[in-house]
Amino acid sequence: MSKGVVKNSQSRADPTVRDRTQPIPSSLQKVTGFGTLTIYKMAASPFWYARYYEDGKIVRRSLKVADKKEAIKAAKKVFVDLKHRKMNNLPFTKTSGFEVCARGLAKENDARFKRGELSKQKVNYDAGRLEADLLPHFGKYEIADIDYSVISDYINKLSTPDRPLTINTLKIHLSHIKTILKYAQRVGVITGLPAFPRLKTTDTARPWFNSAEYGALHSVCRSRIGTKIRVNTKAGKFLRNVEITQDVYDLIIFMTNSFIRPTDIKVLQHKHVAIIRGKDTYLRLTHPPTKGHGSPVVTLKRAVEVYDKLLERQKAEGFGKPDDYLFCPQQLNRDYALRDITRQFDQVLKVAGLKTGSNGDARTLYSLRHTCIMFRMINGEGIDLLTIARSARTSVEMIDRFYAKHLTAEMNIAQLQSGTIND
């Protein structure tokens, strides 16, 4: 027997890692005269449970009583109900099961994706998390039996030395569980939600480019337009050539002057752009909502200059019509368009030596949005966080938590010293 097998066997025998949802051996009792019907208790719940084997399937039900005599009576009712279901070709599983509600929510979210309310990425991530983690733990429970201890037990077991999950990832799991329970509440399975464990998080400031770094990024990208950069696999074999296009150069300037997110690139069309020229010159962007925010985005003046040149170039290439996209208009597969321009930007970062920030965090296209927000906080004359948040389609809380962390007293020394009293 291999060492790995021995280790696994010992782990199963170790009572310290026993599943709290397994029957307590001393509590197991068959109900006389009712076939395989058995009642039992488990450490995770104060209630008795019934277990019954029928047609090769195991059916488990919470009896929702703590008294043993009452549990036997309730188990007999479960037996009668199961026989009734079998005679009438009804499913044994009840609609209050966690899996039933989880799949009901998944079906609802799939419909929301088709309506454009959710991204395909979120639907896929939720499906993977459900199958890999949530169902193995919660699939055996009735919704009403999921309480604080059950959820806390899940979180405690989820992160292991072999799979060290971050606090933010654990929060995503908790959010998914809560969303399933809220669905169960909406359809009438439960009337309220249990308490949830609290996880303390430390906000990490978003990686951005200071003025010198942004200047270097701008220059390197401009010098590389039209060139191809070889990309190899980790093993050193050729993977692909990435051509640096005018699109990525325009995007660098546009994003740094418009607050948009990388996901906006997929949906932003010329019909969403209004050019305002007057005392103040800017673009008003009214593209579809992203991340739950749909308010108009107001850009800086520099974005108008970029857009004018971009539109002139695209019209010469046969694009620039209202339904055409601002970036990579020739690519109708917008997911691919975003991947393509992301690859280009990533190569520019590597050539410029700007792939990571001073704290070691990797920079991405999002760093251009972060840079736009940071430049406004540093260089904007008396601009308030609410104005920035509205144009960036985010909240003041997010600005304060993830961007203000970068600010130092020296960055806004002029504002700090304004209105001082001379002794």
Side-chain angles (χ1 to χ4, degrees):
M1 183 180 291
S2 68
K3 293 182 179 179
V5 174
V6 171
K7 181 178 179 181
N8 190 40
S9 176
Q10 290 173 341
S11 175
R12 287 197 300 270
D14 188 349
T16 63
V17 295
R18 178 185 174 84
D19 192 336
R20 296 177 67 243
T21 62
Q22 292 295 314
I24 298 173
S26 60
S27 71
L28 287 164
Q29 179 177 325
K30 291 191 68 174
V31 181
T32 305
F34 287 82
T36 61
L37 184 65
T38 304
I39 62 170
Y40 63 92
K41 296 196 75 173
M42 58 186 185
S45 174
F47 300 133
W48 283 87
Y49 278 74
R51 183 177 68 190
Y52 182 68
Y53 295 89
E54 182 73 37
D55 294 338
K57 298 179 181 178
I58 303 176
V59 181
R60 297 180 178 87
R61 296 278 180 84
S62 170
L63 300 174
K64 297 182 175 60
V65 293
D67 180 76
K68 186 175 182 180
K69 290 183 178 180
E70 293 299 318
I72 293 174
K73 292 180 182 179
K76 291 177 180 179
K77 291 181 180 179
V78 168
F79 178 87
V80 173
D81 176 65
L82 292 175
K83 288 298 182 182
H84 168 77
R85 288 172 177 272
K86 182 179 180 181
M87 290 173 61
N88 292 277
N89 295 318
L90 297 173
F92 285 159
T93 56
K94 296 171 63 178
T95 56
S96 57
F98 178 87
E99 182 173 0
V100 174
C101 290
R103 297 202 184 283
L105 174 66
K107 185 176 180 180
E108 184 178 277
N109 283 346
D110 190 56
R112 293 181 63 194
F113 157 68
K114 292 175 181 177
R115 294 195 299 267
E117 298 176 20
L118 293 178
S119 69
K120 185 62 176 176
Q121 185 181 52
K122 173 176 172 50
V123 172
N124 289 341
Y125 281 163
D126 283 356
R129 191 181 308 112
L130 180 66
E131 298 296 337
D133 295 307
L134 296 180
L135 286 182
H137 184 86
F138 293 100
K140 60 179 74 72
Y141 286 98
E142 295 295 328
I143 287 287
D145 293 333
I146 297 176
D147 56 14
Y148 176 88
S149 64
V150 175
I151 300 170
S152 180
D153 188 45
Y154 171 75
I155 292 298
N156 292 339
K157 290 180 178 179
L158 189 61
S159 187
T160 64
D162 293 334
R163 187 191 178 195
L165 303 182
T166 65
I167 293 295
N168 284 335
T169 299
L170 293 176
K171 277 196 163 187
I172 291 173
H173 282 258
L174 283 178
S175 177
H176 195 169
I177 298 166
K178 183 174 289 187
T179 305
I180 293 171
L181 296 185
K182 283 183 176 179
Y183 171 84
Q185 186 179 25
R186 289 199 302 273
V187 299
V189 173
I190 53 176
T191 57
L193 301 180
F196 273 71
R198 292 181 177 273
L199 300 177
K200 184 178 181 181
T201 57
T202 302
D203 296 332
T204 303
R206 303 296 201 231
W208 62 297
F209 302 98
N210 60 33
S211 296
E213 291 169 333
Y214 176 67
L217 176 70
H218 183 281
S219 297
V220 168
C221 186
R222 181 173 54 190
S223 68
R224 291 285 179 145
I225 294 175
T227 64
K228 293 182 179 180
I229 299 176
R230 177 189 170 102
V231 179
N232 294 330
T233 64
K234 291 182 179 180
K237 295 182 178 180
F238 174 77
L239 179 62
R240 66 171 64 90
N241 282 318
V242 175
E243 182 175 357
I244 308 303
T245 65
Q246 182 71 38
D247 272 314
V248 71
Y249 177 72
D250 290 341
L251 182 64
I252 287 172
I253 306 173
F254 191 85
M255 283 190 68
T256 314
N257 287 276
S258 68
F259 303 100
I260 66 170
R261 295 181 171 90
T263 49
D264 295 335
I265 298 169
K266 296 197 296 183
V267 300
L268 188 57
Q269 297 168 287
H270 290 285
K271 64 184 178 184
H272 301 135
V273 181
I275 305 175
I276 311 301
R277 303 185 195 273
K279 180 181 178 181
D280 296 306
T281 300
Y282 57 93
L283 300 178
R284 184 192 302 119
L285 309 180
T286 54
H287 50 295
T290 51
K291 284 204 168 182
H293 298 275
S295 58
V297 171
V298 176
T299 74
L300 307 181
K301 185 177 181 179
R302 182 78 173 93
V304 179
E305 299 172 15
V306 177
Y307 180 71
D308 283 340
K309 293 179 180 178
L310 179 150
L311 183 58
E312 180 181 2
R313 173 172 59 83
Q314 288 192 1
K315 284 184 175 180
E317 296 171 348
F319 298 104
K321 295 181 286 294
D323 287 334
D324 287 335
Y325 296 96
L326 264 66
F327 299 98
C328 304
Q330 74 283 358
Q331 183 52 258
L332 297 182
N333 182 332
R334 300 310 294 168
D335 288 327
Y336 180 84
L338 180 56
R339 286 198 301 271
D340 182 47
I341 208 163
T342 298
R343 286 172 182 155
Q344 293 182 50
F345 183 72
D346 191 57
Q347 294 308 311
V348 172
L349 285 177
K350 291 177 180 178
V351 172
L354 296 170
K355 182 58 182 171
T356 57
S358 57
N359 60 354
D361 289 338
R363 290 186 171 118
T364 65
L365 271 178
Y366 250 107
S367 300
L368 296 173
R369 169 180 162 85
H370 306 329
T371 300
C372 181
I373 294 173
M374 285 301 301
F375 280 1
R376 286 306 87 212
M377 295 179 70
I378 297 170
N379 303 322
E381 296 180 4
I383 192 168
D384 62 280
L385 296 187
L386 179 59
T387 300
I388 296 176
R390 289 277 173 81
S391 195
R393 285 185 169 183
T394 188
S395 65
V396 172
E397 179 189 6
M398 294 296 286
I399 296 290
D400 187 48
R401 285 174 56 191
F402 296 105
Y403 298 94
K405 282 179 172 288
H406 288 296
L407 294 178
T408 65
E410 278 188 285
M411 288 180 176
N412 282 321
I413 191 67
Q415 291 183 30
L416 184 66
Q417 294 184 348
S418 62
T420 55
I421 300 174
N422 295 321
D423 295 328

